[in-house]
Amino acid sequence: MSVDHLTFSRAGGAGRVAKRICRGQSELGFDASFQTVIDTDLWREPFSLPAHTVAAMVDNFAIRANVEKTPTSLFRGNLSSLSRIAVRETSVLHLHWIEGVVTIEELLKLSRSGRKIVWTMHDMIPMTGFCHHSHECVNFEYSCQNCPQVRRPFRGLVSNSLDSKLRLRETSHQLRIAVPSEWMKNKVRASAIFRNHDVTVIPNPVSNSMLVPASRREARSRLGIGDEEFVGVSIAEQLDDPSKCVKETVETFFRIMADLNCKGRFILIGTGGHRIAAGFDQISLLGKLSSQEISQLAPAADVAITMSEAESSGMTVVEAGLMGVLPIARRVGGLVEQIDQGNNGYLCDSQADLESVLKSLAVDRSKGLSLALAARNKGLALRTASKAAQSYINLYDDMRR
């Protein structure tokens, strides 16, 4: 048996996860291939796929009513790139993020042909008419009519999009769904489209580079950070994404440092962030880094803060713990499953909660170090690439029975 992993881009969370699973399966002697349409993303390579770029811009800037909320996909989902990918006729198709890769019509056709398909859902776009995350909305459970996230002239198109996806109900015997968290499983099972499908929870694997303990002193030396400084870090694919709340996090951090008369530094890792960093002298804006680079530099921090309003799995929390950095996260989505409150990190409901936690940790540094060790031990038990790879191989085998 062979498997072909398909996702739109090598970049981004879905691309990294797919690549790690594929590599882990290959290392176990399994016949696995990894196929993508683009190496980076449309914002950095807009002319590589002009139709996809235009569709993404229309989806996010013309149709979306509230740019402060989740990213969206409508027209982009009607574009296919399957002809660009060398899919083997006898392989299991392992889909990841497929907007702009495989259309609903193609997915139905593949299923009707008897092809076995596994779909790892990294966000909620497969089960909504338009949104990558539903936030408080529950319309995806029955209909996307009158979607509040959509400008009025386009609401009919979004409702039709969900209706089109409802045809995926007939794929329940050929399609198995995998998700990275129990929270995502609950969302899939509540959806109008997939409530009758089998759903398996398989935690996303981390990079092998993060399994090796890094030296905090060495990381601080590389960044020119003194031992006396209290250091925070936030990691995001797009630092300027309003839903990530990085700006508010940074402002809260330095406000607490000023109140305590504590010398603080903040590290930002990801694309963008220049406007956030402009107002503060003690910010290290490192840009987009590889997993290897992150594992060498992020351990300079005392705390890793993720105050995102929407996370399906909470990978940044797990990665922080593995690197020996205490995770602090908003109490949403899959983040909740990664933290045992007060034992291996902290969950916050608001910026006020974050202030309280930061005050406590900045005053007692030893407390954060001991909790970070517990976070690392939990991550090691669950998140290796070989463990995820074998879990998916078992899922493929189960589909053959």
Side-chain angles (χ1 to χ4, degrees):
M1 180 170 55
S2 61
V3 60
D4 293 332
H5 291 267
L6 273 64
T7 194
F8 184 75
S9 169
R10 291 178 182 272
R16 288 192 294 272
V17 167
K19 184 162 54 176
R20 290 167 191 165
I21 295 169
C22 182
R23 183 184 298 126
Q25 290 175 339
S26 296
E27 290 172 353
L28 291 172
F30 194 78
D31 183 7
S33 75
F34 176 57
Q35 315 239 9
T36 67
V37 182
I38 191 173
D39 286 334
T40 56
D41 57 58
L42 292 176
W43 308 113
R44 281 176 286 179
E45 294 185 57
F47 301 110
S48 61
L49 295 166
H52 289 69
T53 300
V54 171
M57 292 179 67
V58 171
D59 287 342
N60 282 288
F61 300 112
I63 301 178
R64 186 167 55 159
N66 184 357
V67 297
E68 298 298 314
K69 287 288 187 178
T70 182
T72 51
S73 296
L74 179 64
F75 289 121
R76 188 174 170 188
N78 294 321
L79 297 175
S80 172
S81 301
L82 201 56
S83 62
R84 296 170 172 263
I85 300 173
V87 175
R88 293 173 289 186
E89 291 185 2
T90 58
S91 66
V92 173
L93 285 188
H94 190 148
L95 308 177
H96 294 269
W97 207 84
I98 65 166
E99 297 301 297
V101 183
V102 181
T103 65
I104 298 301
E105 290 293 341
E106 288 172 331
L107 194 50
L108 286 166
K109 183 177 180 180
L110 288 166
S111 175
R112 290 165 183 157
S113 72
R115 179 70 68 94
K116 300 297 183 182
I117 303 169
V118 171
W119 193 353
T120 297
M121 296 185 178
H122 298 272
D123 60 20
M124 291 184 65
I125 186 60
M127 64 194 92
T128 73
F130 184 55
C131 300
H132 293 198
H133 194 287
S134 67
H135 292 273
E136 300 83 15
C137 180
V138 295
N139 286 355
F140 74 98
E141 297 180 10
Y142 50 93
S143 169
C144 280
Q145 290 183 351
N146 299 318
C147 175
Q149 178 67 1
V150 182
R151 296 184 192 277
R152 190 173 299 276
F154 299 102
R155 288 182 178 177
L157 293 176
V158 170
S159 178
N160 291 340
S161 173
L162 184 67
D163 289 344
S164 174
K165 291 180 181 180
L166 288 174
R167 292 176 295 162
L168 291 172
R169 289 171 173 171
E170 67 184 69
T171 65
S172 58
H173 296 297
Q174 301 292 351
L175 172 64
R176 293 288 295 270
I177 296 170
V179 292
S181 66
E182 289 291 337
W183 177 85
M184 271 289 284
K185 179 178 180 178
N186 291 336
K187 291 295 184 182
V188 173
R189 295 305 300 270
S191 72
I193 305 170
F194 298 111
R195 60 173 55 116
N196 294 321
H197 281 67
D198 288 327
V199 184
T200 304
V201 177
I202 301 178
N204 287 337
V206 300
S207 168
N208 289 337
S209 63
M210 294 183 180
L211 302 178
V212 181
S215 165
R216 174 167 298 188
R217 185 176 296 275
E218 184 176 335
R220 289 195 170 207
S221 176
R222 290 186 179 188
L223 295 173
I225 298 174
D227 290 340
E228 75 284 2
E229 294 183 77
F230 186 73
V231 183
V233 62
S234 284
I235 304 171
E237 192 69 28
Q238 296 288 339
L239 292 166
D240 297 320
D241 181 346
S243 70
K244 299 299 182 183
C245 299
V246 177
K247 181 177 183 293
E248 294 85 350
T249 295
V250 169
E251 291 171 348
T252 297
F253 179 88
F254 282 111
R255 184 167 59 252
I256 296 305
M257 295 301 102
D259 290 347
L260 297 175
N261 195 25
C262 177
K263 190 174 183 181
R265 179 78 69 92
F266 208 93
I267 301 168
L268 292 176
I269 299 175
T271 303
H274 298 282
R275 285 179 292 180
I276 298 172
F280 303 95
D281 294 330
Q282 297 302 312
I283 285 185
S284 298
L285 184 61
L286 304 187
K288 186 174 177 62
L289 302 179
S290 67
S291 297
Q292 179 71 38
E293 292 169 327
I294 292 173
S295 68
Q296 293 171 348
L297 297 177
D302 295 283
V303 292
I305 308 174
T306 305
M307 291 297 285
S308 173
E309 295 177 334
E311 292 291 339
S312 61
S313 67
M315 283 294 288
T316 55
V317 168
V318 176
E319 291 171 344
L322 285 170
M323 293 184 289
V325 184
L326 179 66
I328 304 172
R330 191 184 295 273
R331 195 189 306 271
V332 295
L335 293 171
V336 177
E337 298 167 39
Q338 314 309 329
I339 294 179
D340 181 10
Q341 181 76 329
N343 292 319
N344 66 342
Y346 290 95
L347 293 167
C348 301
D349 292 308
S350 64
Q351 292 292 333
D353 286 350
L354 177 60
E355 289 184 11
S356 177
V357 171
L358 288 174
K359 284 180 180 179
S360 173
L361 295 172
V363 171
D364 184 2
R365 306 278 184 90
S366 62
K367 182 179 182 180
L369 289 172
S370 63
L371 295 184
L373 178 60
R376 174 171 169 77
N377 290 337
K378 179 175 181 178
L380 285 172
L382 295 174
R383 297 290 184 152
T384 63
S386 60
K387 187 175 182 65
Q390 185 60 60
S391 294
Y392 276 110
I393 292 173
N394 294 343
L395 184 58
Y396 308 150
D397 287 338
D398 186 57
M399 293 180 70
R400 298 175 64 186
R401 298 191 184 106

